[in-house]
Structures are given as C-alpha cells and as structure tokens.
Amino acid sequence: MTTFNNLLFEKENGIASITINRPDKLNALNIQTIEELKEAFQQIYDDPEVKAVLLSGSGEKAFVAGADISEIADLTELNARKFAENGQEVFSMIETCHKPVIALVNGFALGGGCELAMACHMRVASANAKFGQPEVNLGIIPGYGGTQRLTQLVGKGKSFELCMTGDMIDANTALSLGLVNYVTGTIEEAKAKCEELLGKITAKAPVAVSLVIDCVNAAVNQTENGYQTEANGFAACTKTEDFKEGTQAFLAKRKPQFKGE
C-alpha cells in the first residue's frame, strides 16, 4: 500500500478509512493532498477487498477547513481554471465511486472541505461541525463543485444565500437543510453511526449497491436519462449470482449471503 504524506490510509473488515492528516493546517487541502486523494481512491477502485470508504479529518478542530490559501493567493487566470478542474476531477472520482463513501465531519468543513464532504455519498456530523462556502470573502467563488452540489442538496435559494454571504451554518441547521444525514453529540458517536451505516450497506448485494450509486448520480446529471440508467441497472442486476441468492433466500426465509458476483 502506498505511503502518503498528508493522508492516513487504513483497511479493516472491508472498510477503507482515509483521514486528511494536516492538523496543524486544519487539514487544509493543498495540491499535494488533492493528488494523494486521487491516488487513494484509485487504489480503492481497484481493490476488491474494499467494500466501502470512511473519510474524515484528523484532530478535534476540523474535517477540512478549506483549501490552502497560500497556494490560492498565487493563482492567475491562466492556471486557476486548471486548478479548479483538477479538484473537480478528483471529487468526481469520489462521487462516482462504485463503493459507498461516507464523510465523518467534525469541526470545520469550509470551502474545499464542504465541497469534499458533499462529494461523498452521505455525511454524518458531530454536534460541533460547521459548514460553509466562504470563498466570496476572498474575492473568489467555490471551484471544486460547491455551487453545483450545494444546490443539488439544499436547493437553489439556500445555495444562493450560503455562497453569496459566505455564512457558516451549524450541524443542526445542515441537518434541517438536508446537507447531512445525521448529527450526533460527539465525534466518537459520529464514527459509530458511520460504522453502523457502512455495516448495513456492506451486508447488501455489492453490485446492486454500486448501481444505486450510478442511478442516484444520474438523477442530477442533465446529460443522462436517469430513468433509462435505472432500467439498465435493474436489468443488469438480474444477471448476477447475488440476484439469485437474494430471491432464493427471501423465498426460503433465510438471510442472504452475497458475494458480489
């Protein structure tokens, strides 16, 4: 397994745990960290032992407090577009990963950190989590897909408000807006909730789970007919051994044993 400078990467019981590990910088995303995330998720794509992913930030203060401002400050129009497109490409890898990805959000998830959390399939927050897209305070806008995914999750009006004011919202407000799935009291409770969710999901048919990801993503992809994607996925499931196992187990009133085949 690759050794990373800015990530902690562990595997246990089919779960890959990725931790952004720059606590002295509040886990800010610099170019190297983005590249390491890309490499880590490429390994996850290719590793049959990994069934799901848990993404978090190290320390008590932040999931990811934003992008590295020291790098952003030197951007010009010539290289800023490539900077944004590179981050969007990596976050798209996460969003379209055929294995479920849950973000465990503790502390600040701002700017690129909020965008990273939104690229995951689900988000579980501890009570001290803070979310926001404060880029307008720097004279820029979100560049890693924030305007798009925030609108998809919370709606157009609230997305306008958050992106134009740069305001932060707390965990319970994020929950009420649909930005997060669950809020717990502590980071330990949030981790336990993530593990509970991942345990439920990884007990299901892996091919079916991966096709759910494709279909839900298709629902917000204007270039794709989501209904056709769903019909195609439904048909593809019927070719799997897991489909036979699931239906036979149901009829026999026993618990299915899925193999991802």
Side-chain angles (χ1 to χ4, degrees):
M1 184 181 297
T2 303
T3 300
F4 299 101
N5 292 317
N6 296 338
L7 303 180
L8 303 177
F9 190 171
E10 301 175 342
K11 290 193 304 180
E12 184 177 359
N13 299 325
I15 308 298
S17 296
I18 300 176
T19 306
I20 313 296
N21 189 37
R22 302 183 74 209
D24 57 320
K25 301 292 185 181
L26 296 180
N27 303 321
L29 296 175
N30 60 0
I31 293 172
Q32 182 181 10
T33 306
I34 293 291
E35 287 302 311
E36 290 186 3
L37 278 170
K38 181 178 182 178
E39 186 171 351
F41 271 90
Q42 189 60 64
Q43 290 185 27
I44 287 165
Y45 269 66
D46 297 337
D47 189 343
E49 294 182 359
V50 173
K51 307 302 181 186
V53 184
L54 178 60
L55 182 63
S56 62
S58 63
E60 298 295 321
K61 295 181 178 180
F63 170 70
V64 170
D68 195 314
I69 306 303
S70 64
E71 292 182 347
I72 289 178
D74 294 328
L75 291 176
T76 66
E77 185 178 4
L78 191 64
N79 58 17
R81 183 176 292 103
K82 181 63 177 176
F83 179 89
E85 289 172 347
N86 183 57
Q88 289 178 5
E89 176 188 353
V90 176
F91 286 13
S92 180
M93 281 184 67
I94 298 171
E95 184 175 52
T96 59
C97 182
H98 57 287
K99 302 171 184 182
V101 184
I102 296 182
L104 192 171
V105 182
N106 185 61
F108 295 113
L110 305 176
C114 188
E115 291 172 302
L116 177 59
M118 290 191 295
C120 298
H121 301 132
M122 287 171 275
R123 288 149 293 283
V124 175
S126 62
N128 74 332
K130 302 285 187 182
F131 296 85
Q133 298 291 163
E135 287 87 349
V136 289
N137 294 320
L138 301 175
I140 55 175
I141 67 171
Y144 287 169
T147 60
Q148 306 304 295
R149 293 191 179 95
L150 187 61
T151 303
Q152 292 163 7
L153 288 166
V154 308
K156 188 175 178 180
K158 203 65 183 180
S159 182
F160 271 137
E161 178 185 342
L162 293 173
C163 289
M164 291 196 290
T165 65
D167 285 348
M168 284 193 298
I169 58 173
D170 62 24
N172 286 322
T173 301
L175 179 65
S176 70
L177 292 174
L179 183 56
V180 300
N181 296 72
Y182 294 95
V183 174
T184 66
T186 67
I187 188 171
E188 290 79 15
E189 291 170 338
K191 184 176 181 181
K193 187 63 181 180
C194 289
E195 291 172 346
E196 176 193 339
L197 286 168
L198 291 173
K200 287 182 179 179
I201 295 167
T202 55
K204 311 305 179 185
V207 174
V209 168
S210 70
L211 289 168
V212 166
I213 293 170
D214 289 345
C215 292
V216 173
N217 282 331
V220 294
N221 185 341
Q222 295 182 353
T223 65
E224 191 170 353
N225 183 329
Y227 290 98
Q228 190 61 59
T229 300
E230 182 182 281
N232 293 344
F234 180 83
C237 286
T238 63
K239 298 187 298 183
T240 66
E241 292 299 316
D242 281 348
F243 169 65
K244 297 176 183 177
E245 168 62 13
T247 52
Q248 290 172 3
F250 180 84
L251 294 171
K253 298 182 179 180
R254 62 174 175 81
K255 186 176 180 179
Q257 300 295 320
F258 296 118
K259 298 180 179 179
E261 300 173 354

